[in-house]
Amino acid sequence: MTQYVYRFGGGVSDGGEGDKNLLGGKGANLDGMASIGLPVPPGFTISTPMCAVYYDQGGIFPDGVKAEVANGIAHIEAITGKKFGDAGDPLLVSVRSGARASMPGMMDTVLNLGLNDTTVVGLAAISGDERFAWDSYRRFIQMYSDVVLELDHGRFEEALEIAKEDRGYSLDTELSARDWQALVAEYKALVQELWGKPFPQDVHDQLWGAIGAVFGSWQSERAKVYRRLNDIPGDWGTAVNVQAMVFGNMGDTSATGVAFTRDPSTGENAYYGEFLINAQGEDVVAGIRTPQYLTRAAREKAGARPASMEEAMPEVYAQLAAVFETLEKHYRDMQDIEFTVERGKLWMLQTRSGKRTAKAALKIAVDMASEGLITQDEAILRVDPAALDQLLHPTLDPAASRDVLTKGLPASPGAASGKVVFDADTAEKWAAANEAVILVRVETSPEDIHGMHAARGILTARGGMTSHAAVVARGMGRPCVSGAGTLAINAREKLFRVGTREVREGDLVTIDGATGEVMLGAVPTVQPELAGDFGTLMVWADAKRRLKVRTNAETPLDCRTARDFGAEGIGLCRTEHMFFEQSRITAVREMILAADEAGRRAALDKLLPEQRSDFVEIFEVMAGLPCTIRLLDPPLHEFLPHEEAEFAEVAAAAGLDVETLKRRAAELHEFNPMLGHRGCRLGVTYPEIYEMQARAIFEAACIVAENSGEAPIPEVMIPLVATRRELELMKAVVDRAARDVFAEQDRTIDYLVGTMIELPRAALRAGEIAEVGAFFSFGTNDLTQTTLGVSRDDAAKFLTTYVEKGIYAKDPFVSLDVEGVGELIAIAAERGRATRPDIKLGICGEHGGDPASIAFCEETRLDYVSASPYRVPIARLAAAQAALRKA
């Protein structure tokens, strides 16, 4: 019979051996902490395979699992000496999720389970603290009603706020046992009103309701969004962890907290965290109360008055610090820890590898390698390449003036400007319309995940640096300022006030997640300096990678940016972008409107010096490096006007009447231009176009070689080739231009002629195409379109649904469709090499900056990938990781 329940604690371990695939991350680490002797409340884990069974059987649990769970409860009872449902000394448990990959705040939790009208009295008696018992009962009813019964959480919050207002209190801790008892009665009446039945009193019904709700939360909308954003497969499922409760709300000798063994924002080797005296864990992560600092140094740095844990509970803090050291050495990574202190005794509730900013990830990886805790190879593998994007973009100019409205906690570094919005749906809607937005909330909840992803930054009035907003923002790489307590937010009127100042929805603000400042208006930015840990890790990575990394660039600025980021040449220079410039569009249109070859050549003669100048500027930056130049690719009608006023202007410049111009535009119109008269088809029809471009390339190369003494290596790429004959004809045009230029200049430059493989036929006939072409560059944007029969410009309407339904694992325009498009690339590479063993192979679509696609390129033994300038470092690191994983 399949085992689904695994016990831990009290010297018992049912196996799993820390297997996160089986026990989930939380369950594996609870078992791991217990196994090395740390103080972990006993419990059991219902494994991830049970999640799939739960959904397959329509939410019904098999009898065998019920027996295993009963055995798990007996295990906890034996160790604690308490009985589940006992009126005198009741066992209370927590029920928590735990997926393989950390998904903070995305799934459900129930605390204090096992309380009812009878056991609350027993808990009051055995604890000697009536207030604590009734506080725990009201927490349980509130949480269970929200998570399991799915009742309106706001109604319970409203009842609590009214109770405090009626008594003139501002904090929950000011309410007495009698106050909590009265609120429990109100909560139970709310359950009866909203649910139509009394609050469940049978503790076993409570337990199974909570287990079902946690499994059920795996398919909640917020969990689906988080999985989609973080590439977590939907079929993994979650585990459920049931664990004896320990209480941080048993008076001033009790506390709860969240801590990191190193600073998750900067990577500094210093403890980072917060705690609350007389509280439960949800109070910290939900931002219900403003927490206190963990260390004295952090408190003094922030200028805060409330005592740190190091000062308020020195003995327990010393124990906690020792646990930090143990955990970091055991797991060999920075840990994110949840703990509770119950009447002076420390308990560890969770540990996991902590989410961190890119800056912190770099520093922690490099520092740990330097400390000997991990190897350099492990350090390379520790940093998520995509996270480097956080480091590669501008930050606020320190010299710029700032109109500071208020200051909160620096919860996630980086800076962003945008229009204020007050709800997640509006953030998503405005962002889809290309508006930069800042999401402003009293506090975020997991339901806000889609708006947090859409926003450029997040600002909250409540919550600390380990609140939901902070943790999720750091994981996403979004700047976040939390706990800006002077913000008075009125979500209904869509405004917030700071003192006498008012900011409405749509107003521009800037947040600085490194300082916590909130500023009115947009603040200028400066480019980042990439040195230190970044430079160190990149040196290590470059020593390990096999793939070369080039850039997609067609302007001198993009070329310089890419070189600064370590690009080793150009993998794609799109020449059509040059044709759209205002200074030359008239000549382009003259060429298109010409009635014969002589007219076209006259217009092209005007364009030649402009093209040559373009290539000179690019080759000067890339001297000595290979530069793949794609000849004209788009259909000609794209260069013609579309608006009535433009038609009149172009007609006048070309010496034509408007009707003649419109007729010519109509003749060029195509119903499906992506598959029409474009690419090499233009060159076959009008070879003089490619002749002019080739001449411009070789003249520019000769000029740069003359001036710098170092020639670039032009790789002339013919686009949209489907047959050997097309490439043969176009190569003859390029070779003829090269011979003419070299004769005129009395100089020879090394060059290659090849093609972009972007049609399935070209991939399948790669062997014969390689007889002519010296290189293949896989244009994976168009190859994906032509292979799948999907337009990347229109597919967004349905691709999200396709990913959610498991038709594609990821958006195929973001991450390469390895099974389909990848198979064609592998076929083309194999057949091309069979004909020409030294053929050069690379990819230049957007996939060149995607780590998963780069791993495929390493597997297929391509020679290089080409990415946009800001993604070059991502590609360098991903290429190194791919090489290490393959080794």
Side-chain angles (χ1 to χ4, degrees), residues 580-591:
F580 282 101
E581 287 192 18
Q582 198 63 40
S583 62
R584 58 194 75 173
I585 190 69
T586 300
V588 174
R589 286 167 173 169
E590 284 179 23
M591 184 255 309

Side-chain angles (χ1 to χ4, degrees), residues 857-876:
C857 295
E858 173 65 31
E859 196 66 34
T860 316
R861 303 293 290 179
L862 300 189
D863 296 301
Y864 69 87
V865 298
S866 188
S868 60
Y870 278 98
R871 295 187 71 80
V872 165
I874 295 171
R876 289 165 64 195

